Amino acid sequence: AVMPILIWVLLCACVVSDATADERFVNKTETLVLLKEFPFAKCLDGSPSGFYFQEAAETADRSKFMIVLEGGGMCTHESDCSARAKTDLGSSTKWKKTFNWDAWSLTTSDKRNRFRGWNKVWVKYCDGSIWSGARTTNLSNDTFGLWFAGHHTVAATLEKLSAMTTLNSSSFVAFAGGSAGGLGVFIN
């Protein structure tokens, strides 16, 4: 169970972004996918959760996926969680339409990144439960009127990717994360 975290730490330590990108793999386009059709894949505030997606640069890499669960700590009490629901860590209404893939070691186009040409998926973290939330309602005193549905987001992301890509016939899938995202890899 320690191996995925060790791999994550080693990868982060070894891959550093700089201006040495191979032009074939320069990160140019991405798609923000909101999971509107999945009723339980929600952010804290009830807005749809989602992910950024960039298709593989070359046909040979279209069966390879790097899926990263975003980190961002967790919330533990009503005032903390309610405040978080008003930020990009609690609401998809606060997300940018574009994503800077080169800001992260596992998704950078740097030539030293062996994943640079793969399909890239950055799953946004917006439920504050370290990706463990499996609530199907926000109508509970236990949830302060908020949604805690990180597990549903992971499941919906995989279902959506299976419908829109070659994920089901992929030759390799790397599932990674840091901080709360790293815990989410184990939990899910």
Side-chain angles (χ1 to χ4, degrees):
V2 174
M3 186 59 105
I5 287 179
L6 178 60
I7 291 171
W8 168 248
V9 171
L10 290 174
L11 287 170
C12 287
C14 295
V15 181
V16 178
S17 179
D18 70 5
T20 59
D22 181 328
E23 283 302 312
R24 292 174 300 160
F25 302 107
V26 171
N27 293 316
K28 295 179 181 167
T29 60
E30 75 278 335
T31 303
L32 172 59
V33 179
L34 294 177
L35 299 166
K36 295 176 183 177
E37 68 270 33
F38 297 91
F40 303 127
K42 295 188 180 293
C43 295
L44 281 171
D45 70 343
S47 61
S49 58
F51 59 91
Y52 293 96
F53 174 72
Q54 183 178 61
E55 187 173 42
E58 296 187 343
T59 305
D61 289 328
R62 294 239 165 94
S63 67
K64 299 172 184 170
F65 287 80
M66 169 56 68
I67 301 172
V68 181
L69 298 183
E70 183 176 58
M74 62 184 283
C75 62
T76 58
H77 54 280
E78 184 173 3
S79 62
D80 181 30
C81 294
S82 294
R84 184 185 190 95
K86 296 178 177 109
T87 72
D88 70 325
L89 288 173
S91 176
S92 62
T93 66
K94 308 294 184 188
W95 294 349
K96 295 178 180 177
K97 299 296 180 214
T98 60
F99 183 77
N100 182 3
W101 297 98
D102 285 326
W104 302 95
S105 61
L106 292 173
T107 61
T108 182
S109 57
D110 186 295
K111 68 182 179 182
R112 294 171 291 179
N113 179 9
R114 65 180 57 233
F115 308 112
R116 72 183 182 274
W118 292 18
N119 292 295
K120 299 172 190 173
V121 182
W122 188 271
V123 189
K124 287 291 289 175
Y125 180 45
C126 66
D127 91 315
S129 73
I130 57 173
W131 297 96
S132 66
R135 295 290 184 148
T136 57
T137 182
N138 66 336
L139 303 175
S140 166
N141 290 335
D142 294 339
T143 64
F144 327 119
L146 300 171
W147 288 87
F148 294 90
H151 173 72
H152 293 302
T153 295
V154 173
T157 296
L158 295 176
E159 188 174 334
K160 183 71 171 183
L161 285 169
S162 294
M164 65 185 264
T165 70
T166 60
L167 181 64
N168 285 344
S169 60
S170 62
S171 61
F172 192 83
V173 174
F175 193 42
S179 184
L183 290 171
V185 168
F186 285 110
I187 291 167
N188 289 281

